[in-house]
Amino acid sequence: PHFNKIFEGLCRLCSDSDAGVKNGAQLLDRLMKDVVADASAFPLPDFLPVLREHLRKTNTYVRHFLLGWVTTLHSIEQLNFHEHLPPILEGLFLILSDSHREIRMQA
């Protein structure tokens, strides 16, 4: 039940200007991805509205963070992530217009 709140906090921290904060956020991000990948059940329908909302953000660091989550969720076969893509496609298309080539390529 706290996953979405932690995710939103991480989304804010990944764009922090302090290197120590960013490093801590990256560590927690990796740990959360591991937990989700190893979980027997992940409430993807509950998480998608949060992901969709954040995909509209324009900060490069946030977009990089979000694309990492899209990639992770896509790699977990039991989630059938491809079936849940329609609600987040608009945000992914917005990212494809990012001015940073690296972000566009990741998308």
Side-chain angles (χ1 to χ4, degrees):
H2 301 289
F3 180 85
N4 288 352
K5 290 181 182 179
I6 295 169
F7 180 86
E8 289 178 344
L10 269 177
C11 200
R12 284 189 300 273
L13 293 176
C14 71
S15 63
D16 195 284
S17 60
D18 184 276
V21 172
K22 277 186 186 177
N23 288 338
Q26 289 172 354
L27 176 61
L28 182 55
D29 180 45
R30 286 191 300 272
L31 291 172
M32 286 184 58
K33 287 175 181 171
D34 288 344
V35 168
V36 169
D38 292 338
S40 58
F42 178 70
L44 188 58
D46 295 337
F47 174 62
L48 283 177
V50 174
L51 180 62
R52 181 179 58 235
E53 181 66 30
H54 286 284
L55 283 170
R56 295 187 176 120
K57 300 197 182 235
T58 59
N59 182 285
T60 301
Y61 296 108
V62 172
R63 284 182 166 182
H64 179 74
F65 167 79
L66 296 170
L67 289 171
W69 272 95
V70 169
T71 301
T72 297
L73 294 172
H74 183 261
S75 71
I76 303 170
E77 290 183 29
Q78 65 266 25
L79 287 181
N80 295 319
F81 188 65
H82 62 280
E83 295 176 5
H84 300 278
L85 277 176
I88 65 166
L89 280 177
E90 179 183 357
L92 291 173
F93 284 132
L94 288 172
I95 292 175
L96 283 172
S97 66
D98 193 281
S99 61
H100 294 88
R101 185 177 188 276
E102 177 185 326
I103 297 297
R104 288 192 312 269
M105 295 302 292
Q106 188 180 2

